[in-house]
């Protein structure tokens, strides 16, 4: 008879981008703890593509060595750009053929659909930053990390459109790198067009250099509030759970 831990639901491996900023790794660990609560009976293990150990290949090899044959891997990414298309498949391939690794969709839009849990998390963080009443705002800027992938940028635009529609406010996209516009310019243009109170929603999973830069630039441009990253919100943990359930099926 196989050990009980090998006949239970497959483990979950979370794969984050990674950062030199220790706050980012702690945010990923906190999300892993929240996902473990949302997915009872499944071990949940964090990993990082860069800057923080362990990497996903190391975690997958360890699970195979422990006798696991199936794993669900969740990319903690908000767009399906280079890291999802190249880095994660390479990490899975390097782990070897001993595991059946089910890689889920990213946490951002898939097939044109923006998950309501993602939007709920963005709204919660925005409400926290804006004093619990985003209705007093005139416009919102959705600040993302940035990518050169046009399909990934289009997915960020879908999130901005859905967030703005839910709030009943104009919502514009900005990027911290790789693509224009930057957040300060986006805030300034909205203010110049007559939006007196502009807030910034953070399309980030964890704190770090990019989010710090967004906060500083947005404040300098006159933003009245800048939301924190999503980190370990229950809405995000539930979204991960849904991705896990879909892949396991």
């Amino acid at each position: 008879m196989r050990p009980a831990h090998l006949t239970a639901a497959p483990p979950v491996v979370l794969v984050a981008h990674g950062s030199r900023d220790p706050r980012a790794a702690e945010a990923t660990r906190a999300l892993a703890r929240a996902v473990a609560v949302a997915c009872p009976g499944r071990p949940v293990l964090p990993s990082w593509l860069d800057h923080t150990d362990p990497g996903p290949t190391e975690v997958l090899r360890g699970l195979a060595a422990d006798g696991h044959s199936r794993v669900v891997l969740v990319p903690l990414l908000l767009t399906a750009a280079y890291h999802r298309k190249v880095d994660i498949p390479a990490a899975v391939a390097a782990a070897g053929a001993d595991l059946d690794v089910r890689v889920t969709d990213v946490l951002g839009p898939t097939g044109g659909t923006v998950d309501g849990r993602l939007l709920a998390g963005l709204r919660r963080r925005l409400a926290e930053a804006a004093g619990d009443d985003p209705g007093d705002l005139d416009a919102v800027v959705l600040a993302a990390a940035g990518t050169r992938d046009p399909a990934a940028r289009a997915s960020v635009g879908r999130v901005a459109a859905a967030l703005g529609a839910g709030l009943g406010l104009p919502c514009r996209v900005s990027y911290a790198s790789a693509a224009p516009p930057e957040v300060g310019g986006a805030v300034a243009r909205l203010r110049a067009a007559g939006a007196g109170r502009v807030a910034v929603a953070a399309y980030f999973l964890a704190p770090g250099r990019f989010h710090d830069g967004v906060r500083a630039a947005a404040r300098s441009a006159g933003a009245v509030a800048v939301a924190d990253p999503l980190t370990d919100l229950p809405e995000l943990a539930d979204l991960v759970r849904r991705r896990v359930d879909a892949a396991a099926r």
Side-chain angles (χ1 to χ4, degrees), residues 36-184:
V37 173
C39 298
R42 290 183 184 272
V44 179
L45 307 173
S47 66
W48 293 266
L49 291 170
D50 202 3
H51 301 302
T52 304
D53 293 326
T57 297
E58 178 183 347
V59 173
L60 292 172
R61 287 175 175 169
L63 290 169
D66 286 342
H68 291 279
S69 60
R70 295 182 298 143
V71 175
V72 177
L73 185 149
V74 183
L76 297 183
L77 303 170
L78 291 170
T79 61
Y82 185 87
H83 296 301
R84 174 62 183 88
K85 295 176 179 177
V86 178
D87 289 339
I88 286 178
V92 172
D98 295 334
L99 278 175
D100 173 12
V101 181
R102 307 289 177 89
V103 181
T104 77
D105 289 327
V106 299
L107 303 184
T110 59
T113 301
V114 184
D115 194 283
R117 294 160 188 80
L118 179 61
L119 294 173
L122 290 168
R123 287 195 299 267
R124 182 201 287 250
R125 287 294 192 227
L126 191 60
E128 292 169 352
D132 293 326
D133 191 4
D136 288 342
L137 301 172
D138 298 311
V140 173
V141 173
L142 181 70
T147 173
R148 294 183 176 87
D149 187 312
R153 290 199 303 274
S155 77
V156 178
R158 288 196 291 276
V159 174
L163 180 63
L167 294 170
L169 296 171
C171 185
R172 303 290 181 261
V173 172
S174 72
Y175 297 103
S177 69
E182 53 84 29
V183 66

Side-chain angles (χ1 to χ4, degrees), residues 1 31 121 218 230:
M1 180 178 293
L31 178 58
L230 296 165

